[in-house]
Amino acid sequence: MSTNTTPNPGALRAMAVILRLFLSERRIAFFAGAALAALTLLAGASLLALSGWFITATAIAGMSAAAAATFDVFAPSAGIRLAALVRTAARYGERLVTHDAALAVLAGLRERLFRGWAAPEAAGRLADRPTRLLFRLTLDIDALDSLYLRVLVPVIAAVVATLGVTVLIGLIRVHTALTFVLIVLGVGALIPWIALRAARRPARRRAHALEVLRSRAVDLFAGQTELIMAGRLAARREELRAADQRLAAADDALNRVETFVSAGFSAASAVLLALALLAVAALNHAGTIDTPAAALVLLLALAAFDPFAALRRGVVELERALIAARRLASRLTPTPPIAPMPTPGKGQAVEVRNLAIIRDGAVRPSLEGIDLAIAEGERVALVGMSGAGKSTLLAAIAGEIGPASGEVAARRSVLLTQRTELFHDSLRGNLLVADPAADDDRLMAALTAAGLGAVVAALPEGLDTPLGEGGLGLSGGQSRRLALSRLFLTDAPLWLLDEPTEGLDGATARDVLARLAHEAGSRTLILATHLRREAQAADRLILIAEGRARGSYRRGDPGFAAAIEALRPD
């Protein structure tokens, strides 16, 4: 692995995207937080320097009765109190403003990224790698707060505070001020640069180890039964322990880098103080500055590297933040708005012309040369073997997949996929996904129509009954009926059903199909199936094989019964 620490163009572009996000959403807070941080540092340096000057000047004035009588103690005392109050108020304000800005921007970023998974084709990519992608989204977003809170704000504040102190020293002697600023800014940049170089590899190892650890922990927790049955539980525990050890080793390396930064600035501060002591001694001996001013310069030199101390954690987290920025930047760039699904002609629910679908990374099209017209109110079954392209065609009609070529026009639709997606929420919460405005009477009516009304009514908490992750607490048939209840709550004129009774026993499946047919009413119904019981509910069969439409048979046609018999029985 290369040890070059210069950010590559991709990292710089990614950082620019994140900075634009902060500036566009919290521009005032962005600069106000940095300004308050700089004000805190300047007030602290002023408090230290003014206190040292005041103590020294008071001691010297006390040596002479005449000087003591004329010495003004009130103005310096007021300045010290003012600096203390400003430092306290600025510190509080800086914490309030910077954390509010960071949390607000990151909250908006989470919403923007997760809404991106509602775009066409995004759900499929998420389903292919859900754990890895979601972990990266959550971990990467959390890592970005370091970019602002622990890197950008401390850097801006340290530079501004150093320049401010330089101006103060320049009022006493310009050459001393120039030497001061060159040493402080030079060392203040050199030590973090060395630390960044040392932290790059362990930061990358830590980022990878953290992802692996979280993934393995979830897999171990969720798959304990299967692992025990396969005799792999002990091996998975060992893999989890190894991932934890790699994470601990990376943390130790980063902690050593952080310790180096603290030690480096402490050593630099001691050297600068020694140089300042020699300089002010020579200047005082030459009569250029008096003793109180010399004490002021010494104390400013003593605190010169305090503004850079806040970077000790930022430098070890910067590489992780850059990794996160590179991953997320591509999803933050503006994308053209999604064009609405074209509306088919009068009396038609779906019109497909010469449709071709090519999945990402696929060698051959999933669908090719599909021409299809389905009238309003028609009930159609897309039949064929598994993998023929039925689900892909439904997804294209629903707008979930964009065509590589051809056209798809369809009425507003709702898609019931093969997998029942239920959430860790109450029964009511799971139903309100379909219609947030539905009242309890409407929810119970939908449950009754799906055959769950009596079951829910008998529960002690009724609609408030909580469900576990993935609908834990319901049987497979009850989960499918709950999904049907959500379908019944929608008012879309086109229902798209992907194997709606797969995995159900024959009696339950026939009851579900009967309820579907009854509730559909005049809606257009399109089912993708390879089951005989589901196809028998259709008035027309469209045979899909190897990504092409191979035939269309209406009820009563000679081929209709033969196509039904070719499907898998209950």
Side-chain angles (χ1 to χ4, degrees), residues 7 49 64 74 77 106 116 125 128 174 207 235 242 247 286 340 349 358 431 444 472 524 544 552 570:
S64 168
F74 298 105
S77 299
L106 296 184
R125 293 194 297 272
D128 290 339
V174 174
L247 179 62
I358 302 178
L431 291 171
M444 286 303 301
L472 186 64
T524 306
I544 306 294
S552 177
D570 289 358

Coordinates of all heavy atoms in Angstrom, one line a residue, residues 7 49 64 74 77 106 116 125 128 174 207 235 242 247 286 340 349 358 431 444 472 524 544 552 570:
P7 N -3.9 14.0 -0.5 CA -5.2 13.5 -0.9 C -5.3 13.5 -2.4 O -4.9 14.4 -3.1 CB -6.1 14.7 -0.3 CG -5.3 15.3 0.8 CD -3.9 15.2 0.3
A49 N -2.3 36.0 29.0 CA -1.3 37.0 28.8 C -1.5 38.2 29.7 O -0.6 38.8 30.3 CB -1.2 37.4 27.3
S64 N 7.6 50.5 44.6 CA 7.8 51.9 44.8 C 6.4 52.5 45.2 O 5.4 52.2 44.6 CB 8.2 52.6 43.5 OG 8.1 54.0 43.5
F74 N -7.7 48.9 38.0 CA -9.1 48.6 37.6 C -9.2 48.2 36.1 O -10.0 47.3 35.8 CB -10.0 49.8 37.9 CG -10.0 50.2 39.4 CD1 -9.3 51.2 39.9 CD2 -10.7 49.4 40.2 CE1 -9.3 51.5 41.2 CE2 -10.8 49.7 41.6 CZ -10.1 50.8 42.1
S77 N -7.9 44.6 35.6 CA -8.9 43.7 36.2 C -10.1 43.5 35.4 O -10.6 42.4 35.2 CB -9.2 44.2 37.6 OG -8.1 44.3 38.5
L106 N -26.1 16.3 9.1 CA -26.0 14.9 9.0 C -27.4 14.3 9.0 O -27.7 13.2 8.4 CB -25.2 14.3 10.2 CG -23.7 14.7 10.1 CD1 -22.9 14.1 11.2 CD2 -23.1 14.4 8.8
G116 N -32.9 8.1 -1.4 CA -32.3 7.6 -2.6 C -32.6 6.2 -2.9 O -32.7 5.8 -4.1
R125 N -30.5 -3.0 -5.8 CA -29.1 -3.0 -5.4 C -29.0 -3.1 -3.9 O -28.1 -3.7 -3.3 CB -28.5 -1.7 -5.8 CG -28.3 -1.6 -7.4 CD -27.4 -0.4 -7.7 NE -27.9 0.9 -7.3 CZ -28.7 1.6 -8.0 NH1 -29.1 1.2 -9.2 NH2 -29.1 2.8 -7.6
D128 N -29.5 -6.7 -2.8 CA -28.3 -7.5 -3.1 C -27.3 -7.5 -2.0 O -26.6 -8.5 -1.7 CB -27.7 -7.1 -4.5 CG -28.5 -7.4 -5.7 OD1 -29.4 -8.3 -5.5 OD2 -28.3 -6.8 -6.7
V174 N 7.7 43.8 15.8 CA 7.2 43.2 14.6 C 8.1 41.9 14.3 O 7.5 40.9 13.9 CB 7.3 44.2 13.4 CG1 7.0 43.5 12.1 CG2 6.3 45.3 13.7
A207 N -11.5 1.1 9.7 CA -12.7 1.2 9.0 C -13.2 -0.1 8.5 O -14.4 -0.5 8.6 CB -12.6 2.2 7.9
A235 N -16.8 -21.8 15.2 CA -16.0 -21.1 14.2 C -16.4 -19.7 14.0 O -15.5 -18.8 13.8 CB -16.1 -21.9 12.9
A242 N -11.6 -12.7 16.2 CA -10.5 -12.2 15.3 C -10.8 -10.8 14.8 O -9.9 -10.0 14.8 CB -10.3 -13.2 14.2
L247 N -9.7 -4.9 15.1 CA -10.2 -3.6 15.5 C -9.4 -3.0 16.6 O -9.0 -1.8 16.6 CB -11.7 -3.6 15.8 CG -12.3 -2.3 16.2 CD1 -12.3 -1.3 15.0 CD2 -13.8 -2.5 16.6
A286 N 18.1 45.1 26.2 CA 18.4 46.2 25.3 C 17.5 47.3 25.5 O 17.6 48.4 24.9 CB 18.3 45.7 23.8
P340 N -42.1 10.8 -14.8 CA -43.3 10.0 -14.4 C -43.6 9.0 -15.4 O -43.2 9.1 -16.6 CB -44.4 11.1 -14.3 CG -43.9 12.2 -15.2 CD -42.5 12.2 -15.1
A349 N -54.7 -0.4 -19.3 CA -54.0 -0.3 -18.0 C -52.5 -0.3 -18.1 O -51.8 0.3 -17.4 CB -54.5 -1.4 -17.0
I358 N -31.9 -4.9 -19.0 CA -30.6 -5.4 -18.8 C -30.2 -5.1 -17.4 O -30.0 -3.9 -17.0 CB -29.5 -4.9 -19.8 CG1 -30.0 -5.2 -21.3 CG2 -28.2 -5.5 -19.6 CD1 -29.0 -4.6 -22.3
L431 N -49.7 -1.0 9.1 CA -50.8 -0.8 8.1 C -50.7 0.7 7.6 O -51.1 0.9 6.5 CB -52.1 -1.1 8.8 CG -52.4 -2.6 9.1 CD1 -53.7 -2.7 9.9 CD2 -52.5 -3.3 7.8
M444 N -59.3 -1.9 10.5 CA -59.9 -3.2 10.9 C -60.7 -3.7 9.7 O -60.7 -5.0 9.5 CB -60.8 -3.0 12.1 CG -60.1 -2.8 13.4 SD -59.0 -4.1 13.9 CE -60.1 -5.5 13.9
L472 N -41.9 -10.6 13.3 CA -41.8 -11.7 14.3 C -43.0 -11.6 15.3 O -43.4 -10.6 15.8 CB -40.5 -11.6 15.1 CG -40.2 -12.7 16.1 CD1 -40.0 -14.0 15.4 CD2 -39.0 -12.3 16.9
T524 N -57.4 -3.5 -12.3 CA -56.7 -4.4 -13.1 C -55.7 -5.2 -12.2 O -55.1 -4.7 -11.3 CB -55.8 -3.6 -14.1 OG1 -56.7 -2.7 -14.8 CG2 -55.1 -4.5 -15.1
I544 N -44.2 -16.4 -20.3 CA -42.8 -15.8 -20.4 C -41.8 -16.9 -20.3 O -41.8 -17.7 -19.3 CB -42.6 -14.8 -19.2 CG1 -43.8 -13.7 -19.2 CG2 -41.3 -14.1 -19.3 CD1 -43.8 -12.8 -20.4
S552 N -50.0 -15.9 -25.7 CA -51.0 -15.3 -24.9 C -52.3 -16.1 -25.1 O -52.7 -16.4 -26.3 CB -51.2 -13.8 -25.3 OG -52.3 -13.3 -24.6
D570 N -50.8 -27.5 -6.5 CA -50.7 -27.1 -5.1 C -49.8 -28.1 -4.4 O -49.8 -29.3 -4.7 CB -52.1 -27.1 -4.5 CG -52.9 -26.0 -4.9 OD1 -52.4 -25.1 -5.7 OD2 -54.1 -25.9 -4.5

